[in-house]
Amino acid sequence: MKQIEVKLQRQNQDYSILIANSLLSNEDLINSTVKERQVCIVSNQNIYDLYAEKIKNGLKNRQIIEVILPEGEEYKNISSWGKILDAMMQNRFARDSAILALGGGVIGDLAGFAAASFQRGVAVYQVPTSLLAQVDSSIGGKTGVNHELGKNMIGAFWQPKAVLIDPEVLRTLPEREFTAGMGEVIKYGLINNLEFFKYLEENFQAINNKNPEHLAKIITTSAQAKVDIVQADEFEGGKRALLNLGHTFGHALETLGNYTLYKHGEAVAIGIRIAAELAAIEQKISDESRKRICQILTNFNLPISYQNKFQVEDIYQAMFADKKVRAGKLRLVKFREFCNCEVSADSKEKDILEAINLAK
Ligand code: GLY
C-alpha cells in the first residue's frame, strides 16, 4: 500500500491518502479508518451497486444511512446538498457522525460540503471512484456546489479525515470519465513538471489501455503533486491557484453548457488548449510547444475545441464568474514557459479573445 501524508498548518487536520488495489475489500482497514458510530454514505446508484456492500462489510456495528443522488454535474447543487442534510437530520445524526463520499468529483464535492455544514462540521471520508476524483478533487478539502451563474461558487474548505483510493475501481469507469480525468493528470505536468509531461507523452498508449503499473504511477504522482501544493497553500492565497490551469476557460464552458454538455475534465482540456494559444500569442511558448500541448490532449482523446454554437464574447463574459477575479479583473493561470505556470492578470483582453477564438 502506498501512503501519502497530508500535513497542514492547523493542528489535528493532518490526514492520510491510502492507495492500494482491492483497498475497498479491506474490511479491517475500513473499520479502523472510519471511527464514527453514525455514517452517512453518499453515492450514485451505479457506484453504490458496485462498491457499497464492500464498504459496509468494513463498517459493522455502525448506524449507516445512505443518500443516493442522481448522476451528473447538473445535480451538484443546493438541492442535492439539502437532501444529504435532510437525511442526517431525520436520522438524528450527531456532531460526532461522519459522511463517506463514495463516487466521483460531484459526489465528493457535495458530500464534503454537507460535512462542512452539518452541525458546523462533521468528519468526511473521501472514497473516490473516478480518475478525476482520485488524482484531484478528493484531495485538498475543496468542497461545494455550482450556481447556475457560476461553477463551484458556493462551498467551503473542509479537509477529509482520510482519502481511500482503490485504482482497481477504474476498471468499471466509463471510458469518457477516464478520458476526462486525464485532463487533470496532464495539468500536473504542464504546471510545473516537465519530466511527468514527457512520461505522459511517451506512455499514452499504455495509460489509455489502463496498464495497472502506469495507472498506479499517474495516480500517485498526481496525488503527491496535489498534496505538495495544498500543504504550501491550503486556502489558495497563491500557489494553489496553479491547479486551475485551463479552469477559468473550462468553467465558463461548463456553465454555458448548463453543466450537461461537457465533463469537467473535458472543459478543462479545452481550457488548457486556450491557455496554450494565449501563451503562443504572448510569445511565452513556441509554436512547437503549443502543438505538443494540443497533441497530448488529443492522444488522450480529449477535446481541444468547443462547440461553435458558443460565442467568443459569451465565453469571455462567463469567465468573470471565477473565484480568482479581483477588483473586476481576470486572473489567469498562464504559461511562464513550457511546463512552468504562474497566476497573472496581465493579459490583454484582445489576446484572450483571440485565444478563445482559435479554439473554436
Ligand atoms: N482542483 C483544484 C484545487 O483543488 O485547488
Side-chain angles (χ1 to χ4, degrees):
M1 170 147 38
K2 173 96 183 151
Q3 183 159 342
I4 299 174
E5 297 304 325
V6 185
K7 302 221 172 285
L8 299 164
Q9 303 287 324
R10 289 172 302 158
Q11 281 179 336
N12 305 325
Q13 297 288 314
D14 296 353
Y15 58 96
S16 302
I17 301 169
L18 306 177
I19 307 171
N21 284 328
S22 304
L23 181 147
L24 297 191
S25 308
N26 188 335
E27 293 176 22
D28 290 343
L29 182 97
I30 307 269
N31 185 41
S32 60
T33 303
V34 180
K35 300 201 168 53
E36 291 74 11
R37 193 184 57 82
Q38 296 177 303
V39 182
C40 173
I41 299 178
V42 180
S43 195
N44 301 130
Q45 195 65 55
N46 282 345
I47 298 293
Y48 182 86
D49 291 346
L50 286 165
Y51 304 115
E53 215 47 53
K54 291 184 185 185
I55 302 262
K56 287 202 272 184
N57 286 339
L59 293 176
K60 300 226 167 70
N61 306 317
R62 313 291 205 288
Q63 180 192 354
I64 296 180
I65 63 168
E66 286 129 11
V67 179
I68 307 299
L69 296 168
E71 210 167 323
E73 187 76 38
E74 68 271 37
Y75 296 103
K76 196 176 110 177
N77 56 26
I78 289 286
S79 161
S80 298
W81 167 77
K83 284 183 185 150
I84 304 170
L85 300 183
D86 287 349
M88 293 174 81
M89 286 301 293
Q90 284 153 8
N91 288 281
R92 300 197 172 181
F93 266 44
R95 202 164 189 196
D96 58 355
S97 61
I99 297 182
L100 187 144
L102 176 65
V106 170
I107 288 293
D109 283 11
L110 271 167
F113 186 39
S117 38
F118 186 71
Q119 299 199 32
R120 301 205 181 93
V122 297
V124 62
Y125 296 89
Q126 294 283 353
V127 185
T129 58
S130 71
L131 179 62
L132 185 137
Q134 293 188 346
V135 299
D136 188 7
S137 60
S138 68
I139 303 164
K142 276 193 183 174
T143 72
V145 296
N146 301 325
H147 186 277
E148 63 181 32
L149 296 179
K151 168 107 178 163
N152 291 340
M153 291 305 275
I154 302 158
F157 286 98
W158 192 248
Q159 297 292 342
K161 289 275 179 222
V163 181
L164 304 178
I165 299 178
D166 184 344
E168 266 178 11
V169 304
L170 299 182
R171 285 199 199 140
T172 57
L173 190 68
E175 204 51 40
R176 190 173 167 198
E177 292 283 351
F178 182 81
T179 298
M182 284 310 301
E184 298 284 11
V185 173
I186 293 165
K187 168 189 86 177
Y188 290 112
L190 287 170
I191 59 178
N192 62 9
N193 192 339
L194 176 60
E195 195 189 325
F196 187 50
F197 183 86
K198 285 184 185 160
Y199 160 81
L200 295 173
E201 278 186 324
E202 282 157 23
N203 295 287
F204 77 91
Q205 275 154 334
I207 296 167
N208 281 338
N209 289 333
K210 308 202 182 58
N211 170 298
E213 274 151 44
H214 286 290
L215 284 190
K217 157 109 180 157
I218 61 169
I219 293 167
T220 48
T221 306
S222 302
Q224 186 64 62
K226 174 102 190 224
V227 167
D228 290 345
I229 288 184
V230 168
Q231 285 181 157
D233 178 24
E234 182 183 355
F235 297 111
E236 200 167 305
K239 188 176 180 182
R240 184 164 179 169
L242 292 177
L243 295 169
N244 273 319
L245 174 65
H247 283 56
T248 306
F249 303 108
H251 284 171
L253 289 169
E254 284 185 87
T255 305
L256 291 175
N258 298 321
Y259 305 113
T260 55
L261 194 58
Y262 297 110
K263 301 250 166 233
H264 174 62
E266 295 169 345
V268 165
I270 301 168
I272 289 174
R273 191 261 170 106
I274 298 173
E277 297 292 352
L278 181 62
I281 292 166
E282 294 179 337
Q283 299 186 335
K284 297 281 170 68
I285 63 169
S286 64
D287 196 51
E288 188 206 336
S289 297
R290 183 193 66 79
K291 285 189 187 140
R292 254 173 107 178
I293 294 169
C294 291
Q295 189 61 54
I296 199 165
L297 295 168
T298 308
N299 284 351
F300 282 105
N301 306 311
L302 283 156
I304 55 170
S305 303
Y306 55 87
Q307 289 195 1
N308 62 12
K309 67 177 181 181
F310 295 124
Q311 303 301 313
V312 171
E313 183 62 33
D314 291 343
I315 297 172
Y316 182 70
Q317 288 307 327
M319 285 166 59
F320 282 83
D322 183 89
K323 294 186 291 312
K324 290 187 296 308
V325 167
R326 296 285 180 277
K329 240 181 138 22
L330 279 180
R331 289 161 68 242
L332 299 173
V333 183
K334 295 178 40 176
F335 289 94
R336 191 186 279 132
E337 58 187 4
F338 186 57
C339 290
N340 180 2
C341 286
E342 64 181 344
V343 181
S344 158
D346 70 3
S347 286
K348 296 191 186 92
E349 181 178 327
K350 80 166 181 38
D351 291 340
I352 299 174
L353 292 170
E354 187 185 338
I356 297 171
N357 191 44
L358 286 167
K360 204 166 221 161

